[in-house]
Amino acid sequence: MKLSLLKHDSVISSPSIHFSQSHQTHPLSSSSSSSSSARISNFQTSPSFQRLVSLSTNKRSVKKVFSFNPKSSLGERKNSDSPSQSLRRLLESPGIHQGPACYDALSAKLVEKSGFDFCFMSGFSVSAARLGLPDVGLISYGEMVDQGRQITEAVSIPVIGDGDNGYGNAMNVKRTVKGFIKAGFAGVILEDQVSPKACGHTRGRKVVSREEAVMRIKAAIDARKESGSDIVIVARTDSRQAISFEESLLRSRAFADAGADVLFIDALASREEMKEFCEISPLLPKMANMLEGGGKTPILNPSELEQIGFKIVSYPLSLIGVSVRAMQDALTAIKGGRLPPPGSLPSFEELKETLGFNAYYEEEKVYATSQPLSQRASSNVYSIQQRNQDDTEQRGQSQLDPVVEVITPEVYYGADGSKGPFSGIWSRTLRVKVTGRDGTEKLEVRIPAGFLEGITNIVPALGGVNIKSLLDDAAEEPGGKKLLDFNDTMGDRIQVFLE
């Protein structure tokens, strides 16, 4: 049995056991005090409880004896927990947790395959990948939700979405949060910038008033309640760069009082500022943003960030950055008449495995039929052409000769020898000719004029043409006559003659 001791209170939790030495609950816990009491009564009489009590007099000793493995626990809960529940369990677990920022379904799958427990969706990267435009408020709520839905459907790990500034006032924030919930996000980051917003760590950032910023967080929490969800609300302020460090601390405290789940100050400028930020509202997890390539915030390794007091850390530019550089290098190689070097280019088999081709093939076998589709008779004109070419080769004719298929009328006589309503023209023949756009003869077929059923199986372009009416008009005319001459949607010339 694996247990963990929460960092900031006296609650000891496990996947199946919860009890508290006080009535205080962790801000991220969704368990009620009544359900906890019920679990306590069932557990207090067990030998495990007695051993636990003997250890609980010293928090540090408990923490050393009982360990928690978030990866294995999250893996066991993937099928039962919602994305937000998985993220909350991760936030409650010891240590710092790294979340690379993805921008589409493929990059998210790569994050999961690399063993990360969660990831972020980066607005900067989505704007770059989806629009090819800078992150300056040009991408819309609808585009972000659509991209996010594709991301969350591609992975089983929780994803924190970038809700920007909520795309408007508090009412817009409510719609944004509800949309992100429906899209499958585990959390959403909401910032206090004006519209249009500016990208983090760039110039020109402006924020709304502190009161309006708090109202956005309250609106987000109301939207969560109205949706019956427990999506994690990450409250971000850009006031450190727009106003001052002191203002960013005041706003973070106000966000915590309003009910935010995670606090985030963007563009902190020093270790000292990072440490001071982590000291406010100690029960709430703090988010760090390691802007690769040179931003305002010092780049620290995970152990340093954990020591300061951060719980989650994002890496917003790594995936989009290396992707851009790799594509530039590959295009340079191709333009120079080369291929990208093997070290930078995965094999085709590796690509197929990454994208799930092999898993698809295995599942496809479940639905396989006794006769593969490729062996069934095809109604496509080009299948007929290939069959006619094979027959021509067997007869020793050149492939350049016209392909002719003759269907004798005897096979269509009725049982009593009658020839049906077209007996007057039964001795006549329809010749159907198909000529390609390049002038090559693709098909020439002759059939009895009285046999119209199935002609569209030979030439689909004849579907909807009333050939019977044309035959009625031409039935009494001696000699041959051209009934149709037109180009189909593929540019092929279709001709029908009555001989």
Side-chain angles (χ1 to χ4, degrees):
M1 180 180 297
K2 295 182 179 180
L3 301 173
S4 66
L5 183 63
L6 297 180
K7 184 174 181 180
H8 298 300
D9 60 14
S10 58
V11 179
I12 299 177
S13 64
S14 75
S16 59
I17 303 166
H18 297 263
F19 69 93
S20 176
Q21 295 174 354
S22 70
H23 294 293
Q24 181 182 5
T25 58
H26 193 278
L28 292 168
S29 174
S30 58
S31 302
S32 65
S33 59
S34 59
S35 60
S36 298
S37 300
R39 286 192 291 269
I40 295 171
S41 60
N42 294 333
F43 178 67
Q44 285 178 333
T45 57
S46 67
S48 300
F49 175 78
Q50 300 302 324
R51 291 194 300 270
L52 192 58
V53 169
S54 65
L55 291 167
S56 63
T57 55
N58 187 321
K59 287 185 180 180
R60 293 182 180 179
S61 65
V62 175
K63 196 170 183 179
K64 291 179 181 179
V65 172
F66 297 100
S67 62
F68 179 84
N69 187 335
K71 284 189 177 181
S72 62
S73 298
L74 284 173
E76 293 169 1
R77 288 190 290 266
K78 280 180 181 177
N79 294 328
S80 58
D81 280 0
S82 69
S84 52
Q85 287 173 333
S86 296
L87 179 59
R88 288 177 180 276
R89 291 183 185 275
L90 186 71
L91 292 170
E92 292 173 358
S93 65
I96 190 167
H97 305 284
Q98 299 169 281
C102 65
Y103 52 88
D104 60 10
L106 176 58
S107 58
K109 289 185 71 171
L110 293 174
V111 171
E112 182 176 31
K113 283 179 174 291
S114 298
F116 290 94
D117 291 325
F118 81 110
C119 66
F120 291 90
M121 179 183 75
S122 162
F124 179 101
S125 301
V126 171
S127 183
R130 183 171 176 128
L131 304 182
L133 293 173
D135 183 24
V136 289
L138 296 174
I139 196 164
S140 67
Y141 156 78
E143 290 167 316
M144 290 293 286
V145 167
D146 178 66
Q147 194 83 351
R149 184 178 294 106
Q150 295 179 27
I151 290 172
T152 61
E153 289 178 353
V155 297
S156 59
I157 59 174
V159 182
I160 298 178
D162 188 350
D164 291 323
N165 56 6
Y167 309 99
N169 60 17
M171 296 302 294
N172 294 99
V173 169
K174 292 187 70 173
R175 179 172 183 251
T176 297
V177 171
K178 291 179 179 180
F180 274 48
I181 291 171
K182 292 179 180 178
F185 282 103
V188 56
I189 301 174
L190 295 167
E191 60 196 51
D192 56 359
Q193 288 197 55
V194 300
S195 295
K197 58 154 286 180
C199 177
H201 296 255
T202 61
R203 65 183 182 182
R205 280 192 287 178
K206 299 178 181 179
V207 294
V208 298
S209 68
R210 191 189 310 166
E211 181 183 13
E212 183 176 347
V214 172
M215 283 300 111
R216 288 181 181 180
I217 300 304
K218 289 184 177 180
I221 294 170
D222 288 342
R224 177 174 64 187
K225 293 177 181 177
E226 292 168 10
S227 300
S229 168
D230 58 351
I231 189 171
V232 173
I233 306 297
V234 181
R236 162 179 164 169
T237 178
D238 288 73
S239 57
R240 166 64 188 92
Q241 192 171 350
I243 302 178
S244 67
F245 175 59
E246 289 71 21
E247 176 64 21
S248 67
L249 293 179
L250 290 172
R251 292 191 180 215
S252 295
R253 291 190 182 96
F255 294 157
D257 293 339
D261 299 307
V262 178
L263 301 179
F264 171 30
I265 298 178
D266 192 48
L268 291 169
S270 66
R271 286 174 179 259
E272 290 70 26
E273 289 186 359
M274 297 167 76
K275 183 177 181 181
E276 190 170 348
F277 165 54
C278 288
E279 290 173 350
I280 68 170
S281 302
L283 291 178
L284 286 186
K286 309 299 187 303
M287 171 181 163
N289 187 34
M290 297 290 98
L291 186 69
E292 311 89 321
K296 304 291 183 182
T297 304
I299 301 297
L300 306 179
N301 62 47
S303 60
E304 291 175 310
L305 291 171
E306 181 181 6
Q307 186 176 6
I308 290 175
F310 289 99
K311 175 56 64 173
I312 56 175
V313 52
S314 69
Y315 300 88
L317 301 183
S318 291
L319 296 189
I320 191 69
V322 298
S323 298
V324 169
R325 177 58 56 84
M327 286 189 284
Q328 289 173 334
D329 292 344
L331 292 171
T332 299
I334 293 171
K335 191 174 183 180
R338 308 182 308 277
L339 289 178
S344 65
L345 184 67
S347 68
F348 185 50
E349 291 301 321
E350 290 172 328
L351 278 176
K352 290 194 297 181
E353 175 62 29
T354 298
L355 295 174
F357 273 86
N358 295 331
Y360 173 86
Y361 294 147
E362 288 300 316
E363 185 177 358
E364 186 183 32
K365 293 178 183 178
V366 177
Y367 307 101
T369 58
S370 58
Q371 185 181 17
L373 181 62
S374 60
Q375 296 177 4
R376 298 174 186 167
S378 173
S379 62
N380 188 284
V381 62
Y382 303 108
S383 298
I384 296 174
Q385 175 191 357
Q386 183 62 49
R387 187 166 63 249
N388 291 338
Q389 288 177 346
D390 294 341
D391 293 341
T392 300
E393 292 174 1
Q394 292 177 4
R395 291 193 298 269
Q397 297 180 5
S398 169
Q399 294 187 29
L400 298 178
D401 293 338
V403 179
V404 179
E405 182 178 38
V406 178
I407 305 177
T408 58
E410 289 77 12
V411 296
Y412 301 107
Y413 287 178
D416 57 356
S418 65
K419 302 173 184 177
F422 297 103
S423 57
I425 59 171
W426 189 257
S427 59
R428 310 286 290 274
T429 301
L430 282 178
R431 179 163 62 93
V432 181
K433 184 178 180 180
V434 180
T435 306
R437 288 179 296 179
D438 56 358
T440 59
E441 189 170 323
K442 289 188 173 183
L443 179 69
E444 185 168 348
V445 179
R446 285 181 171 84
I447 67 171
F451 177 65
L452 300 180
E453 183 181 0
I455 192 171
T456 56
N457 290 339
I458 300 174
V459 184
L462 292 176
V465 178
N466 192 347
I467 299 179
K468 178 182 180 299
S469 176
L470 297 175
L471 287 173
D472 289 341
D473 295 339
E476 304 302 325
E477 295 185 17
K481 180 179 180 181
K482 183 187 293 184
L483 300 180
L484 291 170
D485 191 346
F486 66 96
N487 291 334
D488 66 5
T489 56
M490 297 179 62
D492 294 338
R493 184 182 182 185
I494 311 296
Q495 295 174 291
V496 180
F497 304 88
L498 176 64
E499 297 181 342

PDB file of all heavy atoms in Angstrom, residues 8 40 55 69 144 175 185 265 271 347 407 451 463 465 481 493:
ATOM      1  N   HIS A   8       1.446  20.731   2.617  1.00  0.00           N
ATOM      2  CA  HIS A   8       1.077  21.923   3.375  1.00  0.00           C
ATOM      3  C   HIS A   8       0.011  21.711   4.439  1.00  0.00           C
ATOM      4  O   HIS A   8      -0.500  22.668   4.987  1.00  0.00           O
ATOM      5  CB  HIS A   8       0.619  23.007   2.397  1.00  0.00           C
ATOM      6  CG  HIS A   8       1.685  23.431   1.452  1.00  0.00           C
ATOM      7  ND1 HIS A   8       2.871  23.975   1.847  1.00  0.00           N
ATOM      8  CD2 HIS A   8       1.737  23.358   0.087  1.00  0.00           C
ATOM      9  CE1 HIS A   8       3.615  24.261   0.798  1.00  0.00           C
ATOM     10  NE2 HIS A   8       2.961  23.892  -0.276  1.00  0.00           N
ATOM     11  N   ILE A  40     -12.805   6.723   7.440  1.00  0.00           N
ATOM     12  CA  ILE A  40     -12.013   6.624   8.674  1.00  0.00           C
ATOM     13  C   ILE A  40     -12.545   5.502   9.565  1.00  0.00           C
ATOM     14  O   ILE A  40     -11.789   4.683  10.098  1.00  0.00           O
ATOM     15  CB  ILE A  40     -12.041   7.962   9.430  1.00  0.00           C
ATOM     16  CG1 ILE A  40     -11.326   9.045   8.591  1.00  0.00           C
ATOM     17  CG2 ILE A  40     -11.410   7.838  10.795  1.00  0.00           C
ATOM     18  CD1 ILE A  40     -11.489  10.443   9.144  1.00  0.00           C
ATOM     19  N   LEU A  55       3.405   6.067  13.358  1.00  0.00           N
ATOM     20  CA  LEU A  55       4.336   6.827  12.547  1.00  0.00           C
ATOM     21  C   LEU A  55       3.925   8.281  12.378  1.00  0.00           C
ATOM     22  O   LEU A  55       4.747   9.136  12.096  1.00  0.00           O
ATOM     23  CB  LEU A  55       4.448   6.189  11.145  1.00  0.00           C
ATOM     24  CG  LEU A  55       5.129   4.826  11.082  1.00  0.00           C
ATOM     25  CD1 LEU A  55       4.887   4.201   9.715  1.00  0.00           C
ATOM     26  CD2 LEU A  55       6.626   4.955  11.332  1.00  0.00           C
ATOM     27  N   ASN A  69       3.989   7.029  -6.272  1.00  0.00           N
ATOM     28  CA  ASN A  69       4.481   7.060  -7.652  1.00  0.00           C
ATOM     29  C   ASN A  69       3.378   7.599  -8.544  1.00  0.00           C
ATOM     30  O   ASN A  69       2.462   6.875  -8.899  1.00  0.00           O
ATOM     31  CB  ASN A  69       4.887   5.656  -8.093  1.00  0.00           C
ATOM     32  CG  ASN A  69       5.572   5.680  -9.462  1.00  0.00           C
ATOM     33  OD1 ASN A  69       5.355   6.589 -10.254  1.00  0.00           O
ATOM     34  ND2 ASN A  69       6.401   4.685  -9.714  1.00  0.00           N
ATOM     35  N   MET A 144      -9.057  27.950 -31.147  1.00  0.00           N
ATOM     36  CA  MET A 144      -8.347  27.330 -30.028  1.00  0.00           C
ATOM     37  C   MET A 144      -9.104  26.132 -29.489  1.00  0.00           C
ATOM     38  O   MET A 144      -8.504  25.088 -29.173  1.00  0.00           O
ATOM     39  CB  MET A 144      -8.127  28.364 -28.921  1.00  0.00           C
ATOM     40  CG  MET A 144      -7.116  29.438 -29.266  1.00  0.00           C
ATOM     41  SD  MET A 144      -5.433  28.805 -29.436  1.00  0.00           S
ATOM     42  CE  MET A 144      -5.010  28.526 -27.710  1.00  0.00           C
ATOM     43  N   ARG A 175     -18.060  31.499 -21.257  1.00  0.00           N
ATOM     44  CA  ARG A 175     -18.216  30.696 -22.471  1.00  0.00           C
ATOM     45  C   ARG A 175     -16.918  29.960 -22.797  1.00  0.00           C
ATOM     46  O   ARG A 175     -16.934  28.799 -23.205  1.00  0.00           O
ATOM     47  CB  ARG A 175     -18.612  31.592 -23.645  1.00  0.00           C
ATOM     48  CG  ARG A 175     -18.758  30.825 -24.962  1.00  0.00           C
ATOM     49  CD  ARG A 175     -19.328  31.700 -26.065  1.00  0.00           C
ATOM     50  NE  ARG A 175     -19.519  30.919 -27.281  1.00  0.00           N
ATOM     51  CZ  ARG A 175     -18.784  31.036 -28.371  1.00  0.00           C
ATOM     52  NH1 ARG A 175     -17.775  31.897 -28.393  1.00  0.00           N
ATOM     53  NH2 ARG A 175     -19.027  30.300 -29.446  1.00  0.00           N
ATOM     54  N   PHE A 185     -10.432  19.431 -21.881  1.00  0.00           N
ATOM     55  CA  PHE A 185      -9.257  19.920 -21.155  1.00  0.00           C
ATOM     56  C   PHE A 185      -9.360  19.593 -19.670  1.00  0.00           C
ATOM     57  O   PHE A 185     -10.442  19.589 -19.088  1.00  0.00           O
ATOM     58  CB  PHE A 185      -9.124  21.432 -21.317  1.00  0.00           C
ATOM     59  CG  PHE A 185      -8.558  21.858 -22.647  1.00  0.00           C
ATOM     60  CD1 PHE A 185      -9.379  22.369 -23.633  1.00  0.00           C
ATOM     61  CD2 PHE A 185      -7.207  21.730 -22.902  1.00  0.00           C
ATOM     62  CE1 PHE A 185      -8.866  22.759 -24.857  1.00  0.00           C
ATOM     63  CE2 PHE A 185      -6.677  22.117 -24.121  1.00  0.00           C
ATOM     64  CZ  PHE A 185      -7.511  22.629 -25.100  1.00  0.00           C
ATOM     65  N   ILE A 265       2.487  33.813 -12.202  1.00  0.00           N
ATOM     66  CA  ILE A 265       2.925  35.161 -12.579  1.00  0.00           C
ATOM     67  C   ILE A 265       3.885  35.014 -13.743  1.00  0.00           C
ATOM     68  O   ILE A 265       4.925  34.362 -13.615  1.00  0.00           O
ATOM     69  CB  ILE A 265       3.614  35.900 -11.410  1.00  0.00           C
ATOM     70  CG1 ILE A 265       2.654  36.080 -10.236  1.00  0.00           C
ATOM     71  CG2 ILE A 265       4.143  37.253 -11.873  1.00  0.00           C
ATOM     72  CD1 ILE A 265       3.283  36.772  -9.030  1.00  0.00           C
ATOM     73  N   ARG A 271      15.424  35.025  -9.318  1.00  0.00           N
ATOM     74  CA  ARG A 271      15.175  33.948  -8.350  1.00  0.00           C
ATOM     75  C   ARG A 271      14.450  34.497  -7.122  1.00  0.00           C
ATOM     76  O   ARG A 271      13.589  33.824  -6.561  1.00  0.00           O
ATOM     77  CB  ARG A 271      16.496  33.306  -7.914  1.00  0.00           C
ATOM     78  CG  ARG A 271      17.149  32.396  -8.944  1.00  0.00           C
ATOM     79  CD  ARG A 271      18.505  31.949  -8.435  1.00  0.00           C
ATOM     80  NE  ARG A 271      19.180  31.047  -9.351  1.00  0.00           N
ATOM     81  CZ  ARG A 271      19.225  29.730  -9.205  1.00  0.00           C
ATOM     82  NH1 ARG A 271      18.613  29.172  -8.171  1.00  0.00           N
ATOM     83  NH2 ARG A 271      19.875  28.976 -10.056  1.00  0.00           N
ATOM     84  N   SER A 347      12.977   6.670 -39.706  1.00  0.00           N
ATOM     85  CA  SER A 347      12.637   5.772 -40.813  1.00  0.00           C
ATOM     86  C   SER A 347      11.125   5.750 -41.005  1.00  0.00           C
ATOM     87  O   SER A 347      10.356   6.160 -40.122  1.00  0.00           O
ATOM     88  CB  SER A 347      13.146   4.363 -40.519  1.00  0.00           C
ATOM     89  OG  SER A 347      12.414   3.790 -39.435  1.00  0.00           O
ATOM     90  N   ILE A 407     -20.397  -8.355 -76.044  1.00  0.00           N
ATOM     91  CA  ILE A 407     -21.329  -9.154 -75.255  1.00  0.00           C
ATOM     92  C   ILE A 407     -22.428  -9.627 -76.189  1.00  0.00           C
ATOM     93  O   ILE A 407     -23.162  -8.815 -76.763  1.00  0.00           O
ATOM     94  CB  ILE A 407     -21.929  -8.334 -74.109  1.00  0.00           C
ATOM     95  CG1 ILE A 407     -20.801  -7.732 -73.264  1.00  0.00           C
ATOM     96  CG2 ILE A 407     -22.848  -9.192 -73.256  1.00  0.00           C
ATOM     97  CD1 ILE A 407     -21.297  -6.841 -72.158  1.00  0.00           C
ATOM     98  N   PHE A 451     -30.205  -4.121 -74.103  1.00  0.00           N
ATOM     99  CA  PHE A 451     -29.766  -4.420 -72.737  1.00  0.00           C
ATOM    100  C   PHE A 451     -29.154  -3.171 -72.117  1.00  0.00           C
ATOM    101  O   PHE A 451     -27.999  -2.868 -72.327  1.00  0.00           O
ATOM    102  CB  PHE A 451     -28.755  -5.564 -72.747  1.00  0.00           C
ATOM    103  CG  PHE A 451     -28.205  -5.881 -71.384  1.00  0.00           C
ATOM    104  CD1 PHE A 451     -29.030  -6.371 -70.390  1.00  0.00           C
ATOM    105  CD2 PHE A 451     -26.864  -5.677 -71.097  1.00  0.00           C
ATOM    106  CE1 PHE A 451     -28.531  -6.654 -69.130  1.00  0.00           C
ATOM    107  CE2 PHE A 451     -26.363  -5.959 -69.837  1.00  0.00           C
ATOM    108  CZ  PHE A 451     -27.198  -6.445 -68.860  1.00  0.00           C
ATOM    109  N   GLY A 463     -24.718   7.537 -65.826  1.00  0.00           N
ATOM    110  CA  GLY A 463     -25.805   7.540 -64.851  1.00  0.00           C
ATOM    111  C   GLY A 463     -26.642   8.801 -64.993  1.00  0.00           C
ATOM    112  O   GLY A 463     -26.126   9.914 -65.048  1.00  0.00           O
ATOM    113  N   VAL A 465     -28.482   9.525 -67.605  1.00  0.00           N
ATOM    114  CA  VAL A 465     -28.793   9.773 -69.016  1.00  0.00           C
ATOM    115  C   VAL A 465     -29.910   8.840 -69.464  1.00  0.00           C
ATOM    116  O   VAL A 465     -29.837   7.622 -69.265  1.00  0.00           O
ATOM    117  CB  VAL A 465     -27.535   9.574 -69.894  1.00  0.00           C
ATOM    118  CG1 VAL A 465     -27.892   9.776 -71.364  1.00  0.00           C
ATOM    119  CG2 VAL A 465     -26.425  10.521 -69.466  1.00  0.00           C
ATOM    120  N   LYS A 481     -25.746   5.785 -85.784  1.00  0.00           N
ATOM    121  CA  LYS A 481     -26.050   7.134 -85.320  1.00  0.00           C
ATOM    122  C   LYS A 481     -25.342   7.382 -83.985  1.00  0.00           C
ATOM    123  O   LYS A 481     -25.299   6.528 -83.118  1.00  0.00           O
ATOM    124  CB  LYS A 481     -27.560   7.314 -85.138  1.00  0.00           C
ATOM    125  CG  LYS A 481     -27.931   8.720 -84.662  1.00  0.00           C
ATOM    126  CD  LYS A 481     -29.405   8.902 -84.509  1.00  0.00           C
ATOM    127  CE  LYS A 481     -29.715  10.320 -84.031  1.00  0.00           C
ATOM    128  NZ  LYS A 481     -31.162  10.549 -83.850  1.00  0.00           N
ATOM    129  N   ARG A 493     -13.648  11.875 -72.624  1.00  0.00           N
ATOM    130  CA  ARG A 493     -14.706  12.024 -73.628  1.00  0.00           C
ATOM    131  C   ARG A 493     -15.518  10.733 -73.700  1.00  0.00           C
ATOM    132  O   ARG A 493     -14.963   9.665 -73.940  1.00  0.00           O
ATOM    133  CB  ARG A 493     -14.113  12.355 -74.992  1.00  0.00           C
ATOM    134  CG  ARG A 493     -15.162  12.631 -76.076  1.00  0.00           C
ATOM    135  CD  ARG A 493     -14.495  12.906 -77.410  1.00  0.00           C
ATOM    136  NE  ARG A 493     -15.481  13.213 -78.437  1.00  0.00           N
ATOM    137  CZ  ARG A 493     -15.184  13.404 -79.720  1.00  0.00           C
ATOM    138  NH1 ARG A 493     -13.895  13.302 -80.116  1.00  0.00           N
ATOM    139  NH2 ARG A 493     -16.139  13.673 -80.598  1.00  0.00           N
TER     140      ARG A 493
END
